[in-house]
């Protein structure tokens, strides 16, 4: 059964990125580096990705049943693949007609703080940013998870992005990548 991700994002300055990183290194559970080389396929109301996890020498295919910016809860299915199969997986998706692909290298570091998974990240398209996530098993748990993330974001001075801000950024990234 798929888990539901209650996930929020925040774009931040380099200064805030460093402040949050240092705070989490001192106060959170350090899960380590988690650098990824990902290929995103934007589908109608879905997000498909092939992820090569550089730091952990692993790979996966992931399907989220919502686009970025369609609310905080996304049902997600993941399938681990051999790291040697990443390029083959991208070719399979290309030949299935998934031609709009955005490649992104993400420098990231993961933490747990107050039961929330943090990914403190930098990528070319998103710049400095933070993801805060709680995995839940059912919709009944959503409101509590959202409140918890919002409270901790406020505590740490993190401004969470709205759905509209996320959609606008994704459209800008798609437009920039389709013209390059």
């Amino acid at each position: 059964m798929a888990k539901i991700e209650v996930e929020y994002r925040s774009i931040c300055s380099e200064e805030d990125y460093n402040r949050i990183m240092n705070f989490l290194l001192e106060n959170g559970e350090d899960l380590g580096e988690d650098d990824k080389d990902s290929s995103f396929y934007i589908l109608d109301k879905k997000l498909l990705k092939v992820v090569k996890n550089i730091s952990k020498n692993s790979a996966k295919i992931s399907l989220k049943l919502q686009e970025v910016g369609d609310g905080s809860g996304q049902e997600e299915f993941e399938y681990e693949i051999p790291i040697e199969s990443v390029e083959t997986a991208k070719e399979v998706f290309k030949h299935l007609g998934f031609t709009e692909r955005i490649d992104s290298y993400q420098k990231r570091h993961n933490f747990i703080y107050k039961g929330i998974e943090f990914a403190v990240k930098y990528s070319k398209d998103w710049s400095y940013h933070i993801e805060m996530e709680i995995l839940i098993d059912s919709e009944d748990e959503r409101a509590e998870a959202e409140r918890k993330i919002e409270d901790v974001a406020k505590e740490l001075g993190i401004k969470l992005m709205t759905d509209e801000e996320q959609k606008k950024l994704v459209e800008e990234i798609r437009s920039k990548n389709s013209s390059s």
Side-chain angles (χ1 to χ4, degrees):
M1 178 175 163
K3 291 277 191 178
I4 300 169
E5 283 187 342
V6 178
E7 180 178 74
Y8 285 85
R9 293 175 178 84
S10 174
I11 299 292
C12 57
S13 66
E14 184 176 4
E15 178 182 325
D16 280 340
Y17 170 94
N18 289 328
R19 178 181 60 81
I20 296 297
M21 178 70 88
N22 289 332
F23 177 86
L24 291 171
L25 283 167
E26 291 176 19
N27 300 287
E29 178 186 345
D30 186 351
L31 301 179
E33 287 186 8
D34 191 23
D35 298 352
K36 297 180 185 207
D37 196 3
S38 302
S39 294
F40 297 89
Y41 301 84
I42 292 89
L43 311 173
D44 186 33
K45 300 292 181 195
K46 295 176 188 70
L47 179 65
L48 177 66
K49 59 185 175 176
V50 178
V51 179
K52 182 178 184 179
N53 189 320
I54 307 298
S55 300
K56 295 185 170 81
N57 199 34
S58 64
K60 68 180 178 179
I61 295 171
S62 172
L63 176 65
K64 290 188 180 189
L65 298 184
Q66 282 179 277
E67 294 176 304
V68 172
D70 278 346
S72 66
Q74 301 181 10
E75 192 171 10
E76 181 173 19
F77 299 89
E78 293 184 342
Y79 181 73
E80 290 185 28
I81 61 172
I83 199 162
E84 309 80 45
S85 298
V86 166
E87 293 306 315
T88 301
K90 290 191 247 184
E91 283 298 308
V92 167
F93 290 136
K94 180 177 107 179
H95 291 292
L96 286 172
F98 302 130
T99 56
E100 184 182 0
R101 184 176 98 197
I102 298 171
D103 295 319
S104 176
Y105 181 83
Q106 299 175 351
K107 177 86 177 139
R108 51 187 288 161
H109 201 109
N110 295 340
F111 301 91
I112 300 283
Y113 178 71
K114 293 191 174 180
I116 299 168
E117 185 169 339
F118 281 75
V120 183
K121 302 163 58 168
Y122 178 84
S123 69
K124 177 181 62 96
D125 289 324
W126 282 73
S127 190
Y128 294 99
H129 60 291
I130 298 164
E131 286 182 2
M132 300 172 68
E133 170 184 301
I134 297 175
L135 291 178
I136 59 174
D137 294 313
S138 74
E139 287 295 324
D140 298 341
E141 302 171 55
R142 180 189 304 276
E144 171 72 16
E146 289 176 346
R147 183 197 54 74
K148 188 174 186 178
I149 290 173
E150 290 166 359
D151 289 349
V152 170
K154 187 175 184 177
E155 171 195 339
L156 301 181
I158 297 171
K159 182 191 176 299
L160 300 175
M161 295 177 77
T162 65
D163 290 346
E164 294 75 25
E165 289 169 330
Q166 291 180 66
K167 283 182 179 186
K168 182 179 180 200
L169 179 57
V170 169
E171 282 305 314
E172 289 170 3
I173 292 168
R174 287 175 77 179
S175 177
K176 183 173 69 172
N177 280 285
S178 67
S179 63
S180 55

